[in-house]
Amino acid sequence: MSLTASSPTPDAAPSALEAELAVLLVEALNLDVAPASIDPTAQLYGEGLGLDSIDILELALEVSRRYGFQLRSDDENNHLIFQSLRTLAAHVAAHRTT
């Protein structure tokens, strides 16, 4: 899978959790992009990183394993949770158990 990632802008510098999730995302999905090059505000699905529904499902499973809480496929807020690395990090920070 060939992806493009924009360089993070200074005001969009990733937090430690965002950087950690970027590494998880790249490793779990075998992406051909450096984790540090992922803009934390870029869309994950479709435009931006170009992830599809299967990618999001795989990412949700890895996040659930790593952070000790369930991300459900039927959650009506998934479109908000997986909007960007930043929104995913905010959700993880609010719900993590590990």
Side-chain angles (χ1 to χ4, degrees):
M1 178 181 291
S2 176
L3 300 175
T4 58
S6 59
S7 297
T9 56
D11 59 321
S15 70
L17 181 55
E18 290 167 351
E20 186 177 308
L21 285 167
V23 171
L24 176 71
L25 180 125
V26 168
E27 290 176 354
L29 302 178
N30 296 314
L31 301 181
D32 188 25
V33 63
S37 72
I38 298 174
D39 181 342
T41 62
Q43 287 184 339
L44 295 179
Y45 192 81
E47 297 291 319
L49 281 180
L51 303 184
D52 62 23
S53 58
I54 300 299
D55 294 327
I56 296 295
L57 179 60
E58 289 181 44
L59 179 58
L61 289 171
E62 288 301 316
V63 167
S64 294
R65 284 187 202 127
R66 169 102 29 115
Y67 298 103
F69 71 96
Q70 185 85 19
L71 281 166
R72 300 181 50 90
S73 62
D74 61 352
D75 188 325
E76 63 186 30
N77 293 315
N78 279 342
H79 67 284
L80 299 173
I81 295 167
F82 290 97
Q83 183 175 350
S84 68
L85 197 59
R86 183 150 292 160
T87 59
L88 178 58
H91 187 78
V92 168
H95 296 90
R96 70 188 298 178
T97 61
T98 59

